[in-house]
Amino acid sequence: MSLKSRLRLAIQKSGRLSCDSKNLLMRCGIKINFQKSSLIACAENIPIDVLLVRDDDIPGLIMDGVVELGIVGANVLEEKRLSRFFQGNSIKYDKLQNLDFGICRLSLAVPIEMKYKNIFSVKDLKIATSYPNLLKKYLDKNLVSFNSFVLNGSVEVALNAGLSDAICDLVSTGATLEANGLKEVERIYHSNALLISQNNFKISFQKKYIIQKLLTRIRGVIKARESKYIMLHVPQSKLNSVITLLNGAEQPTILKLTGHTNKVALHMVSSENVFWETMEKLKRLGASSILVLPIEKMME
């Protein structure tokens, strides 16, 4: 197969999405040997070449037609989209799938000791951020003027270094903010990883087939991670209550139990996580021999 017929997928070389992106491809059954010093990795069992690049380069590679697919954070994609829009550059792309990792939020944070009332408390302050366009969009919407100080990386230290009065940065747990004497006051943008592609009409039929195959596998991996396989014994009189409680993805399998006339075995895929509280409710309904198992792969 020629190089031109191989699908090109861009992922983050290093950072918060890198490991999860590689793991997703592995869970999809794609065999790739990632070399530490190499920026391109070729799949052995499917015509896909993976480019390892900076996360903020991925949207441009898609929009400029350099690669067909990319895994990128929604925050990075939207920041680049706004930047290219203001510059008059092409911003065409297709969003194929929300992914179940890279979940975070872009937030405005101020010193812990600051008396913050509302968004107007940051009026005319200097705010350090790596996302000036997203910050501007949010504050312009609220009619709040400010001074932007663009800083790539280690935004949290800007305030202690005297570079800014507040910051706007990605937050997962808030622990880093607290460690730097900051508190989260406004949530500007919610983000997760996305699978994006070039506009559909630009992609050849052969590559569209590969994309659809990969997309089906990715959706199967996500569905499997969201679901559990459940087996239990339950009184027939409580069967409907148990099925309602477990919120199955499909109708369950009901089997007769040898030596029991009033109990059956129930097997089903639950579309929600089964917590201890759920298992305790099952027990109160008379269920026994309850097993909750992870699902490795799933295809509907």
Side-chain angles (χ1 to χ4, degrees):
M1 183 172 287
S2 68
L3 291 176
K4 288 186 178 180
S5 62
R6 292 179 66 86
L7 191 74
R8 293 160 296 183
L9 164 66
I11 68 172
Q12 189 181 32
K13 180 183 178 182
S14 60
R16 63 189 187 89
L17 299 186
S18 179
C19 288
D20 285 330
S21 297
K22 291 176 183 177
N23 180 261
L24 175 63
L25 296 176
M26 181 189 72
R27 292 285 302 273
C28 288
I30 300 173
K31 296 180 181 178
I32 305 175
N33 184 18
F34 289 101
Q35 300 289 337
K36 189 173 182 180
S37 58
S38 178
L39 299 180
I40 300 179
C42 302
E44 300 173 11
N45 58 339
I46 191 169
I48 294 178
D49 293 333
V50 180
L51 280 68
L52 295 99
V53 298
R54 286 169 48 94
D55 59 344
D56 53 359
D57 288 336
I58 295 174
L61 292 173
I62 291 288
M63 296 171 189
D64 293 333
V66 178
V67 301
E68 288 82 24
L69 291 179
I71 296 177
V72 66
N75 57 301
V76 174
L77 177 62
E78 181 62 9
E79 178 68 20
K80 184 63 70 172
R81 187 193 71 80
L82 291 169
S83 176
R84 289 174 70 99
F85 174 78
F86 294 138
Q87 294 169 5
N89 296 328
S90 171
I91 54 174
K92 293 180 179 179
Y93 66 91
D94 291 327
K95 186 176 80 170
L96 299 184
Q97 181 68 43
N98 279 304
L99 303 177
D100 59 349
F101 57 87
I103 297 169
C104 63
R105 57 193 181 272
L106 183 66
S107 295
L108 187 64
V110 300
I112 289 176
E113 65 274 10
M114 178 178 173
K115 293 181 179 179
Y116 185 88
K117 294 182 179 179
N118 53 44
I119 190 63
F120 293 99
S121 297
V122 299
K123 183 178 180 181
D124 296 329
L125 295 185
K126 183 183 285 187
I127 305 174
T129 186
S130 300
Y131 301 92
N133 293 304
L134 279 169
L135 176 61
K136 185 178 187 302
K137 181 180 178 181
Y138 182 82
L139 293 182
D140 283 355
K141 182 180 178 181
N142 287 280
L143 304 177
V144 176
S145 58
F146 73 106
N147 297 305
S148 177
F149 178 76
V150 180
L151 187 64
N152 293 318
S154 302
V155 176
E156 296 91 350
V157 304
L159 191 139
N160 291 333
L163 300 174
S164 68
D165 304 303
I167 71 162
C168 175
D169 199 19
L170 294 181
V171 178
S172 293
T173 65
T176 304
L177 292 180
E178 187 176 344
N180 286 276
L182 296 162
K183 61 183 178 182
E184 184 180 7
V185 293
E186 296 282 337
R187 296 184 178 184
I188 291 174
Y189 191 83
H190 290 269
S191 181
N192 57 275
L194 302 172
L195 178 69
I196 61 173
S197 75
Q198 290 182 19
N199 271 147
N200 192 51
F201 70 88
K202 292 184 177 180
I203 302 175
S204 68
F205 177 80
Q206 187 177 18
K207 290 184 178 180
K208 285 180 183 177
Y209 173 78
I210 301 170
I211 290 173
Q212 191 55 51
K213 187 174 183 178
L214 178 61
L215 191 55
T216 299
R217 293 188 184 187
I218 287 174
R219 287 171 176 165
V221 169
I222 294 172
K223 187 67 176 176
R225 287 200 284 227
E226 291 175 346
S227 305
K228 295 289 185 290
Y229 191 77
I230 302 167
M231 298 182 287
L232 52 82
H233 297 167
V234 60
Q236 284 189 332
S237 60
K238 300 293 184 179
L239 195 54
N240 289 335
S241 298
V242 168
I243 293 171
T244 301
L245 177 62
L246 291 176
N247 189 25
E250 295 184 354
Q251 289 300 308
T253 299
I254 309 297
L255 303 170
K256 290 183 179 180
L257 278 177
T258 303
H260 288 272
T261 57
N262 63 337
K263 267 192 173 186
V264 294
L266 182 148
H267 293 202
M268 71 184 300
V269 174
S270 176
S271 59
E272 294 183 354
N273 287 327
V274 180
F275 300 104
W276 284 108
E277 290 80 2
T278 306
M279 296 179 71
E280 289 163 355
K281 290 178 182 178
L282 289 171
K283 193 73 176 174
R284 288 196 291 271
L285 287 169
S288 60
S289 302
I290 304 168
L291 294 178
V292 180
L293 306 172
I295 300 172
E296 184 177 343
K297 297 180 179 67
M298 189 171 175
M299 187 175 290
E300 296 181 339

